Amino acid sequence: MASCVIPVPPFDMILFGATGDLAHRKIFPGLFHRFLVGQMPPEGRIIGAARSEFSAEQFRATLRKSLLEFAPSATKNKAKLDAFLALVEYVSVDAKGPRGWDKLADLMRPDVVRAFYLSVGPSLFAPIAEQLRMAKLTTPDARIVVEKPFGHDLASARALNAELGRCFGEDQIYRIDHYLGKETVQNVMALRFANALFEPLWNSQHIDHVQITVAEKLGVNGRGEYYDRSGAMRDMVQNHLMQLLCLTAMEPPSRFEPNAVRDEKLKVIRSLDPVQPGDFARGQYRGDGDQGSYTEHAKNPDSTTESFIAMKVEVSNWRWAGTPFYLRTGKRLRAHLSEIAIVFRDPPHSIFPDGEGRRSNALIIRLQPNEGITLRMTIKEPGPGGMRLTDVPLDMTFAEALGQNAESADAYERLVMDVLRGDQTLFMRGDEVEAAWEWADPIIKSWEDTGQKPALYDTGSSGPEDSLMLMHRDGRRWREIGS
Ligand code: NAP
């Protein structure tokens, strides 16, 4: 049954940071793509805002170039590209001073949805919100979108929530975690709550453990100095991996509605046990021939920041007690891969000879590459020679199974449309972010206090030896990265 797409109302999107990297690589291409597929109403306008002095015409010329580079469909649709650019205005504003705000106010229309997208460094989130409030641009259905990082720790996240809260209601604040915009991540909810098959098994009675891996092949080159102030725990675990854990572990919400979903995710975060010092492994990648090491990229030979982290996390509630979640993420690993692997318990009694080709059943949800789902099953190996068992994948790659319908919109594209529609389901609520920092802070503090240096690992490996040991000592092993 085809479902209807909720229309996008007439809007003014004010994109702060319009000259920046994220705006040009992701946000404008995403908006252009939605325009191409006809999801943008004719009354939609985008007002780029940044410090640089450009006329609207000059800005459109720059934007044309970057759309031709970052939105592949632009080259084939030049007329549409012109029509899209005609919707774009530009204003030069200083987030920290009075320049430009009057002009911005003049450009904005009274009776349309206002979406202020802050694609700027986090130190500008509060000043821009305050300028908007002072300029009286925050109408009741205005919304503000903020990029990660949302805080550096609990104290800074609380301060930021309070500062935004002075200018906008919680129902107007959209904190982006672009992982939640990924098609397959939303599919975790569809898989769990739209099928009767898995939910009866989705608990510690039937699931031995869960592995969540987000592995990157690239290092931190180019943004090493920024990354060195953050590290894998702050940059990836506290937000992206935490969201994946929440969607996997949460109770079914009563409805697919923003607060019902976010209430359940919050309960998961609040059920997390503190992570013990022996339950995590940190690493830094070594150099490899002409490729520099982490400390070279970070320009900090004494850096104690991790480019890799693996950890064992316990969710202390009735559903999950006794089923650990192992999280792992890092740079410069063997492959670029993100997946959630649900590893089931073995049958209580085996009638077949031990060790005959059997591996535990597992459901693997692949977020990238080749988005899809694999169910690892045991069957009889075909042919004569007695009852020999073998392990086979029931494999569904969305692109193959769903053809062009699987052509997935970029996560940003989807999230920006949700902002305009006023749907907060896929955005983090303030209390969720704070709870995640509340859990992460003591873990980070435990290694900051001791000045613990991460173990070194080879480029192209699966991370440091300690990470393997984290699993081995529990009688388990990681799935191969890139197998
Ligand atoms: P960027 O390339 O450094 O761009 C920063 C933008 O902020 C520029 O447009 C700049 O305008 C504007 N700006 C700086 N100071 C300003 C001021 N005082 N008043 C008004 N505008 C000012 O940064 P980015 O990479 O696009 O990142 C933007 C945000 O997204 C950051 O919070 C980042 O952490 C987050 N993020 C980025 C990525 C990514 O892939 N890039 C991914 C995830 C999250 P001028 O150029 O005119 O000075």
Side-chain angles (χ1 to χ4, degrees):
M1 191 176 61
S3 58
C4 60
V5 176
I6 301 164
V8 173
F11 67 86
D12 279 345
M13 168 172 282
I14 300 87
L15 179 51
F16 290 95
T19 54
D21 175 69
L22 185 68
H24 281 259
R25 274 192 315 107
K26 292 285 181 187
I27 305 170
F28 276 119
L31 286 164
F32 174 63
H33 196 226
R34 288 294 106 183
F35 175 78
L36 265 189
V37 298
Q39 266 188 20
M40 211 180 272
E43 306 88 347
R45 294 280 179 283
I46 303 148
I47 305 172
R51 222 171 10 182
S52 306
E53 298 276 4
F54 284 123
S55 67
E57 213 39 61
Q58 286 168 326
F59 181 71
R60 284 185 207 115
T62 323
L63 184 55
R64 171 188 294 278
K65 276 194 207 137
S66 61
L67 284 172
L68 287 169
E69 182 179 354
F70 296 116
S73 43
T75 44
K76 289 178 253 145
N77 293 284
K78 294 264 175 65
K80 288 278 187 189
L81 177 58
D82 287 339
F84 175 76
L85 289 170
L87 305 179
V88 178
E89 289 291 341
Y90 180 81
V91 59
S92 169
V93 289
D94 182 2
K96 293 181 170 167
R99 183 166 59 84
W101 295 94
D102 288 353
K103 177 143 185 251
L104 175 61
D106 288 346
L107 283 173
M108 288 169 58
R109 296 168 296 167
D111 299 322
V112 297
V113 162
R114 291 177 174 182
F116 301 104
Y117 194 130
L118 274 46
S119 177
V120 292
S123 64
L124 297 183
F125 294 168
I128 292 178
E130 183 58 20
Q131 293 279 10
L132 292 170
R133 191 184 66 79
M134 287 192 316
K136 300 198 171 33
L137 297 176
T138 55
T139 49
D141 73 347
R143 39 212 82 159
I144 187 164
V145 186
V146 287
E147 269 298 334
K148 88 170 213 192
F150 200 89
H152 186 73
D153 52 19
L154 177 60
S156 53
R158 274 191 181 142
L160 190 49
N161 274 337
E163 283 159 338
L164 292 180
R166 274 196 281 281
C167 310
F168 291 88
E170 181 59 39
D171 61 346
Q172 296 177 293
I173 303 175
Y174 290 69
R175 298 172 191 81
I176 281 210
D177 182 327
H178 72 274
Y179 260 63
L180 289 176
K182 288 179 188 285
E183 188 81 11
T184 337
V185 173
Q186 290 163 59
N187 242 316
V188 176
M189 283 187 279
L191 189 75
R192 288 190 58 195
F193 306 133
N195 296 287
L197 189 62
F198 293 115
E199 203 47 32
L201 306 178
W202 212 262
N203 54 55
S204 59
Q205 233 183 312
H206 300 285
I207 295 177
D208 178 72
H209 72 281
V210 176
Q211 300 185 15
I212 301 180
T213 300
V214 177
E216 292 175 78
K217 267 184 114 163
L218 290 176
V220 299
N221 349 10
R223 56 191 283 262
E225 286 162 273
Y226 158 79
Y227 187 91
D228 203 43
R229 292 191 291 276
S230 161
M233 182 71 183
R234 287 190 166 100
D235 194 50
M236 297 297 292
V237 176
Q238 185 273 343
N239 38 53
H240 305 319
L241 277 83
M242 176 65 74
Q243 289 296 320
L244 300 182
L245 185 154
C246 284
L247 295 177
T248 310
M250 74 189 201
E251 294 301 312
S254 54
R255 288 183 188 79
F256 189 62
E257 283 177 359
N259 280 331
V261 171
R262 298 185 302 174
D263 284 348
E264 296 307 335
K265 287 197 292 161
L266 178 62
K267 283 186 211 160
V268 174
I269 305 174
R270 290 196 172 144
S271 307
L272 298 179
D273 280 349
V275 174
Q276 302 307 319
D279 284 346
F280 56 77
R282 300 168 70 230
Q284 268 179 0
Y285 58 81
R286 290 194 175 91
D288 171 26
D290 48 338
Q291 304 273 15
S293 64
Y294 173 78
T295 48
E296 283 162 350
H297 289 156
K299 298 195 176 76
N300 180 4
D302 301 321
S303 172
T304 56
T305 302
E306 73 288 350
S307 60
F308 174 98
I309 187 160
M311 61 202 321
K312 177 179 174 181
V313 176
E314 305 274 1
V315 184
S316 268
N317 62 21
W318 272 52
R319 188 186 281 265
W320 294 115
T323 294
F325 283 65
Y326 296 92
L327 313 184
R328 152 178 82 154
T329 182
K331 308 275 183 199
R332 274 288 174 80
L333 297 177
R334 182 173 297 154
H336 186 63
L337 165 141
S338 302
E339 65 170 36
I340 302 170
I342 317 290
V343 182
F344 290 91
R345 293 195 189 281
D346 291 334
H349 166 68
S350 174
I351 64 168
F352 305 106
D354 275 346
E356 285 278 353
R358 194 183 182 285
R359 282 203 282 167
S360 305
N361 294 142
L363 174 69
I364 293 109
I365 303 168
R366 284 190 307 279
L367 313 180
Q368 60 190 20
N370 302 328
E371 299 188 349
I373 292 167
T374 300
L375 185 59
R376 209 172 64 200
M377 306 281 294
T378 302
I379 60 162
K380 177 189 171 298
E381 197 173 303
M387 181 58 99
R388 286 167 294 120
L389 302 181
T390 189
D391 189 53
V392 289
L394 282 181
D395 212 345
M396 182 176 75
T397 299
F398 293 154
E400 281 169 20
L402 304 173
Q404 64 179 30
N405 289 342
E407 192 187 307
S408 68
D410 182 83
Y412 274 100
E413 186 172 328
R414 186 185 315 276
L415 293 172
V416 168
M417 288 297 116
D418 281 358
V419 171
L420 296 173
R421 289 192 188 101
D423 183 347
Q424 288 186 303
T425 311
L426 300 176
F427 297 83
M428 293 177 297
R429 211 167 51 192
D431 50 4
E432 253 184 278
V433 174
E434 288 185 18
W437 278 121
E438 207 166 337
W439 170 80
D441 265 8
I443 305 171
I444 296 169
K445 193 167 183 311
S446 74
W447 63 64
E448 283 182 349
D449 281 352
T450 56
Q452 186 201 68
K453 232 176 144 42
L456 296 177
Y457 62 93
D458 289 337
T459 288
S461 71
S462 302
E465 189 67 22
D466 296 356
S467 153
L468 305 181
M469 293 313 297
L470 189 71
M471 282 292 217
H472 283 184
R473 64 164 205 217
D474 290 349
R476 301 179 173 114
R477 59 193 178 110
W478 289 109
R479 282 172 45 77
E480 285 287 317
I481 293 179
S483 60

